[in-house]
Amino acid sequence: MDIETRRDSGRARAQGMGRAALRGLGLALVALPGAVLGFTLSLVSIALIPIGVGIVTTPWVLTGVRAFADWRRVLAAEWGGVRIPSAYRPIPADSNPWARTFGMLRDPATWRDLRWLPVDMTAGFVTALLPAVLVLYPLEGFALAAGLWRVFPDGYWYGFVPVTGQVSALGAALLGLVILFFGHFFAPRALQAHFRLTRSVLAAGQGELAERVRVLTETRRDAVDTSAAELRRIERDLHDGAQARLVAMGMDLGTIEMLLDKDPEKAKALLAQARKSSVDALAELRDLVRGIHPPVLAERGLGDAVRALALRLPLPAEVTVELGGRAEAPVESAAYFAISEVLTNAVKHAGADRLWVDLHHAEGTLRITVTDDGKGGAVIGAGSGLAGVERRLGTFDGVLAVSSPAGGPTMVTMEIPCVLS
């Protein structure tokens, strides 16, 4: 049993050595030209940004570099068991080339990719090729010992062994055997070292993780502050609105009770006033509930809630919904109120004649686009409604992009990572 176990272990190790050699050779042959091409095109495209050409080409080039890096992440996980998370910031699919270019250039992951490419074409190439060298180079030594040395009448160097005859060729075979012995143990480790080198450059650093924690802390604080402000608003609206009307209605009912026998006509007038107060209080409570979580959103989902919202606008609005299910309730609520805020801004400030709203879900992201044909000039700044929308989306790791040139049109794109059920 012990002999059989050793035999199986040796067979498995030999297979691992062969796989590492073939994978490393294929990786080296593909990675070197890919890294050189990606790095060269990236430098040229970024250098052309000042004259405008790079604004168009850079998003395409960097997208290709990201695809190349993601492919290497997949190989690292499948061939080496090395996990390298992909941490690119999402870029709205409908953003213009200017926003896409500078959105990518502001992403630290982009600069990690560009630092990784020179490493991959040098040290990465060597570490990928090393398993193949450890396994295939000994075959040359064995071929020399088998008679290949006769093809080189002037002698041939195999490693540090000068091959000039059969004896020295046997020395080359011995050296090849030693290399193969080391390759038996170290070829898979060399490929593993290649993937670890890739991870050391492509993975997010401590500084970026600290920045990520800071952003999440700020968005959480914003969410807490927003919730506290919302609770104060609800309390104020209840106190000044429905509660005051209900108190007045109670007082009217007390007066009616005293006047029923003495002055029926006066009691009847007060009853009508009390009825009106109850209707107004009910309307205010409904508005308050709609401001907290619209019933149509809870019952029928985000698409129908946005359609109902569009029907209440003073401008004609076209709503397109392509959702294969429903997101979690907090995500739907955040998306609904973000859309409501953007539409309100468009009605108040854009001078638009028509609005368009598009909702769809793709690649694990809810994408929302609100477009108007107004005068443009919308910006995300302190004190603007769009800044509040950005903070609301940031709580869910969402992003906001605005394209609003002078003269219009204005396109506001929102993306929230989520899954539909």
Side-chain angles (χ1 to χ4, degrees):
M1 183 66 181
D2 190 34
I3 296 176
E4 187 67 25
T5 302
R6 291 180 181 177
R7 186 179 301 165
D8 292 341
S9 176
R11 187 181 301 116
R13 187 172 294 174
Q15 291 175 351
M17 176 183 65
R19 280 196 303 269
L22 293 177
R23 289 173 174 177
L25 179 61
L27 187 59
L29 294 178
V30 175
L32 179 60
V36 172
L37 180 64
F39 187 68
T40 303
L41 291 179
S42 298
L43 290 183
V44 172
S45 184
I46 293 173
L48 293 177
I49 288 178
I51 63 174
V53 177
I55 297 295
V56 178
T57 60
T58 298
W60 295 99
V61 172
L62 294 182
T63 298
V65 171
R66 290 185 175 190
F68 182 64
D70 282 338
W71 172 66
R72 300 295 292 279
R73 289 183 175 95
V74 171
L75 292 185
E78 294 182 352
W79 289 358
V82 178
R83 304 287 177 180
I84 309 174
S86 181
Y88 299 112
R89 294 176 181 174
I91 302 294
D94 299 327
S95 57
N96 57 46
W98 182 276
R100 289 181 63 83
T101 296
F102 289 97
M104 285 181 160
L105 292 179
R106 283 193 296 265
D107 189 348
T110 298
W111 298 102
R112 282 201 307 272
D113 289 349
L114 297 180
R115 288 195 302 269
W116 165 69
L117 290 174
V119 174
D120 191 53
M121 69 179 72
T122 52
F125 173 76
V126 172
T127 52
L129 191 61
L130 184 58
V133 172
L134 291 174
V135 174
L136 300 179
Y137 190 53
L139 300 181
E140 183 181 345
F142 300 153
L144 290 171
L148 184 63
W149 63 272
R150 294 185 175 88
V151 179
F152 307 100
D154 298 330
Y156 181 81
W157 281 88
Y158 177 77
F160 56 84
V161 177
V163 179
T164 57
Q166 187 61 49
V167 175
S168 56
L170 291 175
L174 181 61
L175 177 59
L177 188 63
V178 172
I179 296 174
L180 186 63
F181 173 79
F182 282 102
H184 186 67
F185 293 97
F186 293 107
R189 297 181 184 179
L191 189 61
Q192 187 85 1
H194 168 82
F195 292 128
R196 289 179 178 173
L197 173 66
T198 303
R199 181 177 61 184
S200 68
V201 184
L202 280 183
Q206 292 297 322
E208 185 175 347
L209 293 176
E211 175 66 14
R212 179 65 175 154
V213 170
R214 185 189 66 79
V215 171
L216 290 176
T217 301
E218 288 184 357
T219 56
R220 184 183 64 179
R221 183 171 59 248
D222 289 339
V224 172
D225 293 343
T226 301
S227 298
E230 189 71 9
L231 287 174
R232 289 192 297 269
R233 181 189 68 81
I234 294 170
E235 181 181 7
R236 183 178 62 253
D237 290 347
L238 284 173
H239 183 272
D240 298 340
Q243 178 179 323
R245 293 186 183 279
L246 291 173
V247 170
M249 188 173 63
M251 296 174 63
D252 289 342
L253 290 174
T255 305
I256 292 169
E257 187 177 6
M258 292 186 295
L259 292 176
L260 277 176
D261 296 329
K262 297 179 182 180
D263 191 351
E265 292 298 325
K266 181 67 172 177
K268 188 181 296 184
L270 287 175
L271 275 175
Q273 182 177 336
R275 185 183 300 112
K276 183 178 183 304
S277 296
S278 68
V279 172
D280 292 341
L282 182 60
E284 289 183 357
L285 286 173
R286 285 175 175 168
D287 290 340
L288 185 63
V289 170
R290 188 179 294 112
I292 299 172
H293 194 79
V296 66
L297 179 62
E299 296 169 3
R300 303 179 61 180
L302 181 61
D304 287 339
V306 173
R307 291 189 181 100
L309 179 64
L311 290 175
R312 297 197 298 269
L313 295 174
L315 299 178
E318 180 180 335
V319 179
T320 303
V321 179
E322 297 178 3
L323 300 177
R326 295 191 59 175
E328 295 180 351
V331 173
E332 284 192 336
S333 180
Y336 174 84
F337 286 109
I339 295 171
S340 177
E341 180 69 26
V342 173
L343 290 175
T344 301
N345 286 346
V347 171
K348 287 183 178 180
H349 308 297
D353 297 321
R354 191 170 183 84
L355 300 167
W356 294 266
V357 183
D358 177 77
L359 295 87
H360 66 278
H361 185 272
E363 300 177 357
T365 301
L366 173 64
R367 292 186 174 90
I368 305 162
T369 303
V370 179
T371 308
D372 67 67
D373 59 356
K375 61 185 179 181
V379 294
I380 304 174
S384 71
L386 292 177
V389 172
E390 187 176 42
R391 288 194 300 270
R392 184 188 292 273
L393 298 179
T395 306
F396 298 90
D397 208 17
V399 294
L400 172 72
V402 178
S403 174
S404 184
T410 294
M411 176 183 291
V412 178
T413 304
M414 297 167 277
E415 293 192 352
I416 307 176
C418 66
V419 295
L420 302 184
S421 58

